[in-house]
Amino acid sequence: MNVQLNDSGVPIIREKTLAQKIKGFLLWVILIILTIAAALLVYLCVAGASEMNALTTFKQISDHPYYTLDYDGYDYTDMLNKEPESNDEIVQQCKNKLFTKPIAMMLPGNAKTEKTVKGSTAFFAKTFIYTYMKGRIYNSYDTPIAMVISTPKSGYKSWNIVDMADVGIKSGEDVNQWYTNAFQTMAAAYCASEGINQEGLSVSLISCPEAECEDTNKVNITPFMAVRLLLDRAATVQNAVDVLDDYDVIFSDGAYHLFVSEKTGNSAVIEYINGEMSVTYLDRSRPGNSHQVCTNKLESSKASVKDFGDKYSENNLFSYFDNAFYSFEQGGGGMSQDYALVLMKKQSENYKEIDEEHYGTNRYGTQYIVFYDLDKMQMQIIIGNDTKNQSYTYDLTV
């Protein structure tokens, strides 16, 4: 290397120009940023591997909009140990898992559950070929719906339906790209409205007039987390009752009861009245009865307020399905799956209105109809009551 010397033989040191200094500084800044970004990416992939992988599977299926999401290898016990008491806290825990608390608190994305869903109905019944089926009409405001396929590290694989409004994504928001609502999307697996697991146990969460669970110092869970817990850990109705007996259910996001059914012929409505869990099993005292209906009406004899007492008329909904199934049973058989689907679709068309109080002028009505063939382990979901263009069937044995 040639070094320039002055007349005295001393090396000449030239000062860098301002432009050279700025260029050198920027190069160092870029290098530091790239190093931090690479370290952060590695950290996120390790700390939240299942969550990050789930986000890459998030895709839109229809214009309703309707989405699908695969959630593999998650550890439910971590969320249980945090004891979140609302959907908003569940979203916050997804942030906390990936970032330190001060940073997590500043990140965007919240869940705001501000509605009571009325006019929803579920049923469990025997078919005419002596297998069992379950159906559900889900009425709500016009919000995105997602199908989450969940495979925990320990537990049963399940298929869950999520109203994305329950994690803070409302109608009209751009959710086509997962990163715009990343933390709400991560929380979807813990905020399911219903689902079915590989053992043939189905759980539906339906709003009701009142719900109260006494604080007994057991681990706290939300009703949405209860759905997740039962699908992960229960194979029968009695399993479900036993599992819930170990937890306190916190109803800060609204009052709900759980409708639990299994493919071997049992079902029950699980409610929390006056601080205690109350279980109403399928009524076998009626001759030939093999079905159970669950609407927004409370089933427990201990309930002080049975229904909402308004135009949604939970009693009429209950009678509509109860009488239909019972008449078939008295004739010596059960109802066909096709006819049950016709009943659901006909009833769902009666619940449409414009509601300007919530979500502007979005329509209130049926967001989806879901039908479970508990024997063949198949699920059919119809989005937005559109049987022709938005009907999707899933083989749950795959």
Side-chain angles (χ1 to χ4, degrees), residues 40 43-44 92 94-107:
L40 179 60
Y43 168 77
L44 292 177
Q92 188 61 48
C94 289
K95 300 176 189 179
N96 293 347
K97 183 174 182 179
L98 300 178
F99 299 95
T100 61
K101 191 170 183 179
I103 295 177
M105 293 296 291
M106 295 186 292
L107 293 173

Side-chain angles (χ1 to χ4, degrees), residues 97-132:
K97 183 174 182 179
L98 300 178
F99 299 95
T100 61
K101 191 170 183 179
I103 295 177
M105 293 296 291
M106 295 186 292
L107 293 173
N110 296 292
K112 296 179 180 178
T113 304
E114 56 181 64
K115 57 184 172 56
T116 297
V117 181
K118 303 175 184 178
S120 294
T121 306
F123 66 79
F124 170 76
K126 182 185 289 185
T127 70
F128 73 102
I129 56 174
Y130 302 102
T131 59
Y132 290 92

Side-chain angles (χ1 to χ4, degrees), residues 11 13 27 37 72 85 87 100 123 133 140 146 154 157 173 222 225 235 268 313 360 364 372 380 389:
I13 300 175
L27 288 174
D72 294 333
E85 297 185 0
N87 288 353
T100 61
F123 66 79
M133 60 182 173
S140 179
S154 177
K157 181 178 180 180
E173 294 187 4
T222 70
M225 289 175 66
S313 188
Y364 183 95
Y372 304 98
Q380 180 183 8
N389 299 308

Side-chain angles (χ1 to χ4, degrees), residues 21-32:
K21 290 180 179 180
I22 293 174
K23 182 180 179 180
F25 175 76
L26 290 177
L27 288 174
W28 273 108
V29 170
I30 292 172
L31 180 61
I32 292 171

Side-chain angles (χ1 to χ4, degrees), residues 135-156:
R136 164 78 182 273
I137 300 171
Y138 183 85
N139 289 341
S140 179
Y141 297 95
D142 192 13
T143 54
I145 301 298
M147 175 73 72
V148 181
I149 302 174
S150 303
T151 308
K153 286 183 178 179
S154 177
Y156 302 121

